[in-house]
Amino acid sequence: MEFQFQFDWQAAINSIPFLLKGIPYTLLISFGGLAIGFLLGIFFGLLSINKKWFFRWPATAYIEIFRGTPILVQVLFIFYGLPDLIGGPIDPLTAGIAAIALNSGAYISEVVRGGVQSIDKGQNEAGLSLGLSRSQTFWSIIWPQAFRRMIPPLGNQAIVSIKDTSLFSVIGVGELVRQGQVYIANTFTAFEVYFVVALMYLAITLSLSLVLRLVERRGLASV
Amino acid sequence: MTQIVQMQGMNKYFGTLHVLKEIDLSVEAGEVVVIIGASGSGKSTLIRCVNGLEEFESGKLVVDGNELAPKSGNPKALAEIRKEVGMVFQQFNLFPHLTVKKNIMLAPMKVKDTPQTIANATAERLLSRVDIASQADKYPSHLSGGQQQRVAIARALAMEPRLMLFDEPTSALDPEMIGEVLDVIRELAKEGMTMMVVTHEMGFAREVADRVIYIHEGQIVEEGKPADVFDNPQNERTQAFLSRVLSH
C-alpha cells in the first residue's frame, strides 16, 4: 500500500474554535504568573545584592533552587506534592500560576540584579551627594535606569514563560496544549492540530515581541 | 571667621593601604582651597570624606557644625552634611534618564520638599547663570562634556550649598571645553562660595585659590598661599612635583 499524507485544511480550521478556548488559560497563567514573578524578582533580586549575608543567602538559595530544577518538576511538586503538606487539594490553575511565578521570579531576580549592578556607581554617589537618602537615590535614580536595561531580558523571560505553560497540560489545566490533546483524542488529526497549536503560540509570542520592540524604542529614545 | 570644614588627625585606609595619614585641615567660610598632588596621592579621597562618600577610620571631621564619626558612625550628621555640601565629579554623573532641568529640580523637590514651580524657577535661573538656558529640556547625552559639567554645577548649586567640592572637574573634558567650566568655578569663587577643589589645572589653581595644599602619599606636605607654594615651595617633594607638572 502506498503511503500518502495530505494536510487536512478542513480539520485544521475546524479545530480552531476548540483550541481558542485554551488561550485565556495560557494567557492567564503566563501573565498572572509573570506579574507575581516580577514582584518576586524585584524582591529577591534586590536582596541578592544586599551587603548583609542574612538577606543575600535566602535570596541566592531561592534563585538557585528554582533555576536549577525543571519547571515540570516544580509544577508536579506543587500540584501533587504540596497538597500532602497543606492537607487539601490545589486547583491546577493556581498550581500553574504559582509555578510560573516562582520559576520566572528566580530568573527575573537575576535580571534585576544584573540591571541594577550595571548602573555606574557614580549615579549613586551623585544622588547621595545631593542629599537624597539611599532609598530615594535608588528609586528615583538607579531603578528607572536599571529598569530600562531590564526590558529586553524581561521580554525574553516572558516569552520563555508563555511557552513553559504548555507543560502544564500534565496537571490538566485547559490551556492550549491540553485543548489540543483533548481535540486530537476525538479526531485523530494530530498533525493539523499541533500545527495550529504551534501557530497560536507563535501569534502570542510574536505580538509580545512587537510590543516590546516598540516599548524599547520609546524607552531608548530619551536616553 | 566661621570654620566650615575641620579635620583633625584623620586617617583613612583602603584595606591595609594607609591612604590618608593624620590629616589636619580646616577651611574657613568663603575660602577657596585647592588640593594638588600626583595621581593616587589621596587628594580625591580627602574631599570624598567631607561628604561621607568615603568613610574614615579615625580622627575628627566636622562640617558646618555637624560632626561625622569614623566609620560613618553618625547618619544624622551625614544627612545634614550632604544637604549642605555640593559636589561636582570628574565624570559629571548627570542623571541620563532625566532632562537637564529635571536633573536640577530633583534634589530640591525630594530633599527639601521645594514646590515644583519654585524648583523650576530655580533651575531656569541656575541654567542661565551657567549659560545653557537653551538646553533645559534636552537630555544630558545630547550635551557636550563642558555643557554637562556646567549642568552638574547648577545641579549642586540648586541645593544652596554652604560648601562646594570639586573632584577634578575638568579632567574628563576635551581641552577646548576646560575654559568654560573653569569660568563658572571662577565666578563662584568671586561670589564668595566656600570651595575645596581637586585639580590638575595649575594655572587655575594659582589664580583662584586662597590656599593651596599639596598632598603626597596621603600626607599634607605643604600648604600656603598660591604664590608661596608655586614660586617658592619649601618641601622637596612639592618642588619635584611642581617641576614635573609645570615644566611643559
Side-chain angles (χ1 to χ4, degrees):
Chain A
M1 192 175 97
E2 200 173 308
F3 175 78
Q4 210 180 15
F5 174 77
Q6 240 201 329
F7 190 88
D8 184 347
W9 286 102
Q10 200 51 52
I13 290 162
N14 288 344
S15 71
I16 290 173
F18 191 80
L19 295 177
L20 281 176
K21 287 183 196 154
I23 286 189
Y25 287 97
T26 294
L27 294 179
L28 180 64
I29 299 168
S30 305
F31 289 102
L34 281 164
I36 302 167
F38 184 58
L39 297 178
L40 289 174
I42 295 174
F43 183 72
F44 286 106
L46 296 183
L47 281 190
S48 77
I49 47 178
N50 198 288
K51 283 202 186 96
K52 300 193 174 73
W53 66 268
F54 50 87
F55 285 129
R56 210 169 53 235
W57 286 12
T60 308
Y62 160 72
I63 294 166
E64 294 303 334
I65 288 168
F66 282 92
R67 275 198 323 172
T69 55
I71 190 167
L72 182 58
V73 174
Q74 291 164 15
V75 78
L76 291 173
F77 186 84
I78 293 168
F79 186 66
Y80 292 110
L82 269 192
D84 291 347
L85 184 74
I86 62 173
I90 295 176
D91 76 87
L93 189 63
T94 309
I97 290 173
I100 291 293
L102 289 164
N103 185 271
S104 70
Y107 286 94
I108 293 170
S109 298
E110 287 292 275
V111 170
V112 168
R113 185 182 61 79
V116 170
Q117 285 181 335
S118 77
I119 303 302
D120 186 82
K121 74 173 179 28
Q123 292 291 307
N124 193 44
E125 292 185 347
L128 295 178
S129 77
L130 285 165
L132 272 66
S133 67
R134 289 197 165 277
S135 72
Q136 283 175 327
T137 301
F138 183 78
W139 291 112
S140 55
I141 296 168
I142 309 297
W143 180 256
Q145 297 181 54
F147 183 72
R148 242 166 247 196
R149 294 189 187 178
M150 284 159 49
I151 292 172
L154 282 177
N156 214 22
Q157 181 57 44
I159 287 170
V160 169
S161 290
I162 289 167
K163 293 185 297 176
D164 279 347
T165 61
S166 64
L167 294 165
F168 301 165
S169 55
V170 298
I171 58 167
V173 198
E175 47 69 66
L176 196 41
V177 168
R178 178 70 176 186
Q179 289 296 99
Q181 289 171 336
V182 170
Y183 192 79
I184 291 162
N186 295 317
T187 61
F188 307 104
T189 48
F191 192 95
E192 288 79 1
V193 172
Y194 282 132
F195 184 77
V196 176
V197 165
L199 283 182
M200 286 181 175
Y201 277 109
L202 202 56
I204 297 171
T205 55
L206 285 179
S207 325
L208 184 64
S209 294
L210 190 72
V211 170
L212 283 163
R213 209 157 296 170
L214 292 174
V215 170
E216 246 179 84
R217 202 178 301 159
R218 240 191 55 195
L220 293 175
S222 57
V223 175
Chain B
M1 283 277 257
T2 335
Q3 274 189 348
I4 300 287
V5 180
Q6 189 195 354
M7 296 176 170
Q8 270 173 15
M10 244 181 63
N11 285 285
K12 158 85 188 160
Y13 297 83
F14 283 130
T16 55
L17 189 66
H18 198 172
V19 285
L20 292 178
K21 299 168 186 162
E22 293 294 323
I23 298 287
D24 292 313
L25 171 66
S26 56
V27 179
E28 307 284 332
E31 198 180 13
V32 177
V33 174
V34 173
I35 301 156
I36 58 171
S39 301
S41 59
K43 55 193 192 305
S44 286
T45 308
L46 176 69
I47 67 164
R48 286 164 58 84
C49 282
V50 174
N51 67 348
L53 290 184
E54 300 288 353
E55 301 176 349
F56 56 98
E57 271 66 36
S58 67
K60 189 175 168 183
L61 171 58
V62 183
V63 181
D64 204 19
N66 302 290
E67 181 164 353
L68 208 54
K71 292 274 184 197
S72 303
N74 192 348
K76 264 194 184 155
L78 182 60
E80 277 308 308
I81 288 170
R82 283 177 175 165
K83 277 185 219 170
E84 294 171 15
V85 178
M87 188 167 203
V88 173
F89 301 86
Q90 183 176 348
Q91 299 295 340
F92 329 136
N93 295 344
L94 291 180
F95 308 133
H97 62 301
L98 300 176
T99 61
V100 161
K101 197 194 267 180
K102 291 268 166 62
N103 260 273
I104 299 172
M105 292 165 63
L106 180 73
M109 288 174 63
K110 293 265 178 201
V111 180
K112 291 183 168 172
D113 291 321
T114 305
Q116 185 165 1
T117 48
I118 293 176
N120 187 58
T122 305
E124 283 174 0
R125 180 172 54 78
L126 287 168
L127 282 172
S128 320
R129 185 167 158 189
V130 297
D131 213 15
I132 31 180
S134 59
Q135 316 286 331
D137 296 317
K138 291 192 179 163
Y139 285 90
S141 60
H142 296 149
L143 270 56
S144 72
Q147 290 174 323
Q148 289 191 47
Q149 194 60 301
R150 285 184 281 149
V151 173
I153 295 171
R155 180 176 70 176
L157 292 176
M159 286 296 286
E160 299 173 325
R162 300 259 290 146
L163 166 70
M164 284 284 284
L165 307 172
F166 290 88
D167 188 5
E168 303 197 26
T170 59
S171 296
L173 294 174
D174 290 336
E176 76 270 21
M177 293 170 185
I178 292 174
E180 65 193 58
V181 170
L182 293 184
D183 284 345
V184 173
I185 303 174
R186 210 175 269 130
E187 204 56 41
L188 274 176
K190 268 190 211 153
E191 290 165 18
M193 175 66 77
T194 312
M195 306 199 278
M196 294 176 80
V197 184
V198 170
T199 186
H200 293 290
E201 297 290 328
M202 295 302 153
F204 172 74
R206 178 195 284 264
E207 175 200 341
V208 81
D210 294 311
R211 188 152 45 112
V212 174
I213 286 170
Y214 173 66
I215 293 196
H216 177 79
E217 291 178 356
Q219 271 178 311
I220 297 178
V221 300
E222 185 136 2
E223 121 174 58
K225 293 202 174 304
D228 295 336
V229 173
F230 284 114
D231 300 332
N232 190 20
Q234 300 301 306
N235 189 293
E236 61 186 40
R237 297 191 191 286
T238 320
Q239 292 163 4
F241 173 74
L242 288 173
S243 74
R244 275 201 310 276
V245 297
L246 296 176
S247 61
H248 52 264

